[in-house]
């Protein structure tokens, strides 16, 4: 009885890991119907008879994003919010523009693995493995190079050149989500208590107030 329970518990854990990315589709497509207020895990399907080519279409990834911001980068998404036909299909794209020496700050995608390819310039990229090792896996990429950021892990890109850089990345979710570490920790609303952050980062509270003022 106890061993059966253990087996069931193991199966439940395995199943929940297997379902950490978008579930498989049970039909050809399920184009998001934005007109309904019904909430499901994803979007309700539009009547297939009313589906048109534009439901699967997006134009604009040839346009450079505006990198005039403190990080010096801009992400232009093409996910289910822009392309309703991506609903339930477990995939999306982004274009990322980097000013010279710009960064895409350390962040994670809670629902997606990412595969990035460099179209222009040179990028130092990296991700950090989970606790307790926290090993940095990093590489400098040139035009045409491809790099993988496994689901959930903290990762970043840094333009290590005097010219603009451009990358396209595919993500294994219609809605990958993004958690930028600095914004989540120092820019939450309401704020996480300075006592908590001072202990977490092993600095004094004034340092925390200084970080907070920037996010
Ligand atoms: C880019 O963003 C900056 C800062 O928000 C803004 O001042 C500037 O007008 C933008 N440039 C373009 C071409 O939109």
């Amino acid at each position: 009885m106890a061993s059966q329970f253990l087996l069931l518990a193991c199966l439940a854990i395995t199943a929940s890991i297997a379902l950490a990315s978008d579930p498989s589709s049970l039909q050809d497509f399920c184009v998001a119907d934005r007109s309904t207020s019904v909430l499901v895990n994803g979007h309700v399907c539009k009547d297939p008879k009313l589906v048109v080519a534009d439901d699967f279409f997006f134009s604009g990834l040839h346009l450079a994003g505006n990198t005039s911001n403190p990080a010096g980068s801009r992400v232009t998404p093409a996910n289910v919010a822009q392309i309703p036909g991506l609903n339930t299909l477990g995939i999306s794209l982004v274009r990322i523009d980097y000013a010279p020496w710009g960064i895409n700050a350390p962040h994670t995608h809670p629902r997606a693995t990412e595969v990035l390819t460099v179209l222009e310039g040179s990028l130092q990229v990296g991700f950090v493995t989970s606790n307790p090792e926290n090993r940095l896996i990093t590489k400098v990429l040139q035009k045409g190079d491809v790099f993988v950021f496994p689901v959930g892990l903290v990762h970043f890109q840094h333009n290590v050149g005097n010219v603009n850089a451009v990358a396209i990345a595919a993500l294994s979710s219609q809605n990958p989500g993004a958690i930028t570490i600095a914004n989540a920790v120092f820019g939450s609303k309401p704020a996480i208590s300075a006592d908590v952050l001072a202990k977490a980062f092993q600095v004094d509270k004034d340092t925390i107030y200084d970080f907070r003022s920037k996010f």
Side-chain angles (χ1 to χ4, degrees):
M1 202 59 195
S3 67
Q4 277 175 341
F5 179 77
L6 195 63
L7 181 64
L8 281 174
C10 288
L11 283 172
I13 290 165
T14 311
S16 70
I17 291 168
L19 291 172
S21 56
D22 295 2
S24 302
S25 194
L26 302 176
Q27 52 217 345
D28 279 357
F29 51 75
C30 167
V31 172
D33 178 356
R34 299 199 201 289
S35 65
T36 172
S37 58
V38 177
L39 299 178
V40 294
N41 187 20
H43 297 272
V44 170
C45 309
K46 184 174 170 179
D47 179 345
K49 290 191 292 296
L50 303 178
V51 163
V52 294
D54 277 352
D55 288 325
F56 301 94
F57 173 78
F58 174 80
S59 177
L61 285 196
H62 61 302
L63 299 172
N66 185 341
T67 59
S68 298
N69 54 61
S73 74
R74 175 72 62 183
V75 176
T76 305
N79 61 43
V80 74
Q82 290 77 32
I83 309 175
L86 284 178
N87 192 41
T88 75
L89 296 184
I91 193 167
S92 59
L93 277 185
V94 293
R95 169 182 172 136
I96 315 170
D97 287 276
Y98 312 83
W101 307 102
I103 60 156
N104 186 10
H107 64 281
T108 83
H109 301 293
R111 293 177 288 278
T113 289
E114 173 173 346
V115 54
L116 175 144
T117 186
V118 180
L119 301 185
E120 297 293 341
S122 306
L123 295 176
Q124 190 217 348
V125 301
F127 65 83
V128 178
T129 67
S130 58
N131 299 347
E133 291 82 10
N134 297 136
R135 179 155 79 103
L136 174 64
I137 310 273
T138 184
K139 194 166 175 70
V140 175
L141 308 182
Q142 310 297 338
K143 183 172 179 167
D145 291 350
V146 173
F147 200 80
V148 175
F149 304 108
V151 59
L153 299 187
V154 173
H155 61 283
F156 65 90
Q157 299 105 36
H158 182 199
N159 181 1
V160 287
N162 289 316
V163 297
N164 291 335
V166 183
I168 295 278
L171 296 117
S172 61
S173 171
Q174 67 177 41
N175 178 25
I179 301 167
T180 303
I181 307 306
N183 300 62
V185 173
F186 298 111
S188 70
K189 294 178 202 70
I192 300 173
S193 117
D195 291 315
V196 170
L197 295 183
K199 273 211 175 109
F201 288 86
Q202 297 288 296
V203 294
D204 59 35
K205 285 202 257 180
D206 284 341
T207 306
I208 298 300
Y209 299 140
D210 192 27
F211 281 143
R212 261 192 200 159
S213 69
K214 298 188 167 60
F215 294 94

